[in-house]
Amino acid sequence: MKKLKVLLASMTALCLLAGNLPVVKQVMPFTIYASAKDTEEFATSGTCGENLTWNFEKSTGTLTISGTGAMEDWYYTSPGWYNLCKTIKKVIIEDGVTTIGVGAFWECSALESIIIPDSVTRIESGTFIDTPWLERKRKENPLVIINGILIDGKTCKQKKITIPDGVKTIGNYAFDDCNALESITIPDSVTVIKANAFSDCSALESIVIPDSVTTIEACAFYNCFALESIVIPDSVTTIGGDAFKRTQWLKDKIEENPLVIVNGILINGQTCEKKIIIPENVTTIAEYAFYGCESLTSVTIPNSVTSIEKSAFSSCSALESITIPDSVTIIKASTFNYCESLKSILIPNSVTIIEDWAFSYCFALESITIPNSVTTIGESAFCSCSALKSITIPNSVTSIKFLAFDCKNLETIKIENPECEIEDYENCTIFDRATIYGYDNSTAQAYAEKYDREFVSLGEAPVYEIGDINRDGAINVTDIIYLQKYLHGKQNISQRQYALADMNQDNMINIFDFVLLKNKILNKK
């Protein structure tokens, strides 16, 4: 565990120096390994994914993982077999498993044999660290490749490396801290360069990314101080936060223009000052793009932008105003947290989700209007917005998460959806001195009564016409979009909304209801 803690501390420090949260957040618990004679007291089977189970056979030291789909990631907890780790000699991953999760076999010090099926297409970070299996693989070939995933190249000592054809993914931390590496040739088979794949390769001077690559993840080339030349093809459509932070290439780009844009992705604006207008060719504002930009006061975002990624404007302490275009559908996690001067913001009707911590610690935020398109308000979304005194939650919102409105000066909160799920925490989800307004027999009333809060009734819940799915009092194209998103699995609806969407009242929602709703709207016109 000591090595793991040191490694995690190093990764955390690395990202904190950049002013960012760590890319890999796994924190294993302070668990003491059992000796072989003590394993009787620990579970020998359990679940390790939505559709995955594990079983440990003590007599042979074999761990078998069965089922279909992705293994869960262990960021803050341990896998169920963690206390058995030193007695696991062999792992059999059966066909159907698609992902090996973060930290799955970290420090399994007796692990000599692993069977990995072709169905595994993703192997996350920290999976095989400190296992004899990985050490043996490194001795066989310093480039450890599993199912087209280059998971490890840390022991390579060459100045120049050519990755073999057939590799599809360069894995998390694959070449992290390879100080001797000066150049690398990436084949046309590679499509993804994962987080921190080349971080801290301090001697790397140039790189050509082939046009097969579509994704470069967060911190991929972080701290590559000597990296002056990077060729990024048009095929790259996703660039993670701080992918090129602390490279000479990025420094040169910032000197040319403080708004660094690659293939329509605004990857850095941290040196911008006062008021800026983002150009029309930008489609994505990347993670941490403006993080900590303390001189930024105003931002205009064009309708060409469809995605503002997490923490994009986090800690922009002087930011007073921002306009979010109606091309944006999700306000991502921590997008505006610690924007201490932000007083008000208009959320467009296109937004359906406000994710965790989105506006947390916006101390000056006095008012915000949540449109009737929003269905989910995430954990701590408005936490510590101390200037916020009153807010209305529209009837489209089906879920309010933990700490969402823990605002010490919140006086009133009106919850219009009588079925809205309010996460059940007494003094956290909604500030304990706020008066709750809601309909009779609603979840708002139940929450207020359970925790002895002041409750003001809005009367009986209104009855809506069939077809008015978003319950705004009108049947129009907004309801069509709502139903279309639900049919495509992109929209959650409550039980009452389900009844309003069931146009033919057959207790099923399908394409027939969509056609009937469309015809109803057309006939009204």
Side-chain angles (χ1 to χ4, degrees):
M1 289 297 294
K2 183 177 179 181
K3 291 181 182 178
L4 172 56
K5 293 171 195 170
V6 170
L7 179 56
L8 288 172
S10 299
M11 290 191 289
T12 302
L14 173 143
C15 290
L16 287 175
L17 285 171
N20 293 343
L21 296 174
V23 172
V24 176
K25 302 178 292 181
Q26 63 261 39
V27 180
M28 298 299 186
F30 295 95
T31 307
I32 300 173
Y33 278 122
S35 64
K37 67 178 182 180
D38 292 329
T39 58
E40 295 287 340
E41 65 186 89
F42 297 118
T44 56
S45 63
T47 61
C48 54
E50 187 173 348
N51 297 302
L52 296 180
T53 60
W54 65 274
N55 183 74
F56 179 64
E57 177 55 54
K58 289 181 283 188
S59 62
T60 61
T62 301
L63 175 71
T64 302
I65 297 171
S66 310
T68 58
M71 198 183 295
E72 65 182 285
D73 292 319
W74 290 280
Y75 289 118
Y76 303 113
T77 58
S78 308
W81 55 81
Y82 184 72
N83 282 304
L84 304 167
C85 222
K86 283 200 170 181
T87 62
I88 296 173
K89 299 176 182 178
K90 182 178 182 179
V91 171
I92 299 173
I93 300 173
E94 294 188 346
D95 191 45
V97 178
T98 59
T99 301
I100 302 176
V102 169
F105 309 110
W106 202 319
E107 288 191 329
C108 286
S109 57
L111 184 55
E112 296 280 356
S113 172
I114 306 175
I115 296 174
I116 302 173
D118 292 340
S119 59
V120 171
T121 55
R122 282 177 51 212
I123 299 174
E124 298 297 351
S125 60
T127 304
F128 306 111
I129 298 297
D130 290 338
T131 63
W133 177 85
L134 181 59
E135 292 306 313
R136 176 169 55 82
K137 285 288 184 181
R138 285 170 169 169
K139 289 177 182 178
E140 292 171 2
N141 189 332
L143 296 181
V144 181
I145 301 167
I146 306 293
N147 294 354
I149 308 164
L150 199 164
I151 66 169
D152 191 274
K154 288 184 181 12
T155 59
C156 290
K157 302 300 181 184
Q158 300 95 324
K159 292 183 178 180
K160 298 181 179 181
I161 295 174
T162 298
I163 296 174
D165 289 335
V167 170
K168 297 177 182 178
T169 301
I170 301 174
N172 297 304
Y173 295 92
F175 293 94
D176 175 53
D177 205 24
C178 285
N179 293 321
L181 186 62
E182 294 179 358
S183 69
I184 190 158
T185 302
I186 301 174
D188 288 335
S189 55
V190 170
T191 60
V192 178
I193 300 173
K194 297 283 281 183
N196 294 84
F198 297 97
S199 57
D200 289 296
C201 291
S202 56
L204 189 63
E205 296 177 349
S206 66
I207 193 161
V208 176
I209 298 169
D211 57 14
S212 56
V213 172
T214 60
T215 301
I216 301 171
E217 291 190 357
C219 295
F221 297 94
Y222 180 89
N223 266 359
C224 294
F225 302 111
L227 188 55
E228 294 184 347
S229 174
I230 307 173
V231 176
I232 304 173
D234 293 340
S235 59
V236 173
T237 56
T238 301
I239 299 176
D242 288 344
F244 306 103
K245 183 99 172 184
R246 294 187 174 180
T247 65
Q248 187 59 47
W249 176 86
L250 183 60
K251 289 180 181 178
D252 293 343
K253 287 289 185 182
I254 290 171
E255 287 184 7
E256 293 173 12
N257 189 331
L259 290 179
V260 181
I261 300 167
V262 177
N263 297 347
I265 307 165
L266 198 164
I267 66 170
N268 193 286
Q270 293 175 4
T271 61
C272 289
E273 296 183 350
K274 297 183 179 180
K275 298 180 180 181
I276 64 162
I277 298 174
I278 294 173
E280 290 285 345
N281 64 328
V282 173
T283 58
T284 300
I285 300 175
E287 297 173 347
Y288 305 109
F290 292 91
Y291 182 93
C293 188
E294 295 181 352
S295 299
L296 186 64
T297 58
S298 174
V299 180
T300 300
I301 303 174
N303 281 321
S304 59
V305 171
T306 58
S307 180
I308 303 173
E309 296 300 318
K310 68 179 183 180
S311 300
F313 294 95
S314 178
S315 297
C316 291
S317 56
L319 185 62
E320 297 175 357
S321 66
I322 190 165
T323 300
I324 301 174
D326 57 14
S327 51
V328 173
T329 59
I330 298 175
I331 298 178
K332 299 286 183 71
S334 303
T335 302
F336 300 103
N337 73 336
Y338 285 101
C339 289
E340 299 170 7
S341 301
L342 193 63
K343 292 183 178 181
S344 66
I345 189 164
L346 178 64
I347 300 175
N349 287 320
S350 56
V351 171
T352 59
I353 298 173
I354 300 173
E355 288 190 349
D356 299 349
W357 303 93
F359 296 96
S360 59
Y361 303 100
C362 291
F363 302 123
L365 187 63
E366 296 176 349
S367 66
I368 189 161
T369 300
I370 300 174
N372 207 42
S373 55
V374 172
T375 61
T376 301
I377 299 175
E379 181 178 316
S380 301
F382 296 91
C383 178
S384 295
C385 291
S386 52
L388 191 63
K389 294 184 177 180
S390 177
I391 193 160
T392 296
I393 313 300
N395 55 34
S396 59
V397 173
T398 60
S399 177
I400 300 173
K401 301 296 185 183
F402 174 61
L403 282 172
F405 293 100
D406 186 23
C407 309
K408 68 178 182 180
N409 292 311
L410 187 66
E411 296 173 356
T412 64
I413 181 168
K414 180 181 177 182
I415 302 174
E416 295 183 340
N417 179 2
E419 295 178 328
C420 181
E421 180 185 348
I422 306 168
E423 195 148 348
D424 195 8
Y425 287 91
E426 179 178 2
N427 297 321
C428 300
T429 301
I430 298 171
F431 184 61
D432 59 1
R433 288 195 288 275
T435 299
I436 299 173
Y437 287 72
Y439 291 106
D440 293 341
N441 302 313
S442 64
T443 54
Q445 182 178 10
Y447 182 91
E449 290 178 350
K450 182 175 181 179
Y451 296 118
D452 196 26
R453 304 292 187 81
E454 185 176 353
F455 177 76
V456 176
S457 172
L458 299 173
E460 292 186 8
V463 178
Y464 297 96
E465 184 181 355
I466 291 176
D468 186 7
I469 304 170
N470 69 346
R471 299 181 298 191
D472 64 353
I475 299 174
N476 51 34
V477 68
T478 306
D479 298 294
I480 282 282
I481 295 170
Y482 215 93
L483 180 53
Q484 186 178 39
K485 287 182 177 180
Y486 172 76
L487 291 172
H488 284 88
K490 297 179 179 180
Q491 181 77 59
N492 295 322
I493 62 176
S494 69
Q495 188 175 1
R496 292 189 185 185
Q497 286 176 304
Y498 191 97
L500 295 172
D502 184 10
M503 298 297 295
N504 58 5
Q505 298 295 286
D506 63 352
N507 296 317
M508 295 172 56
I509 297 180
N510 50 36
I511 189 63
F512 297 109
D513 298 295
F514 182 83
V515 172
L516 287 170
L517 179 57
K518 184 178 179 181
N519 289 339
K520 185 169 185 173
I521 293 170
L522 290 173
N523 289 335
K524 279 190 173 185
K525 293 182 179 180

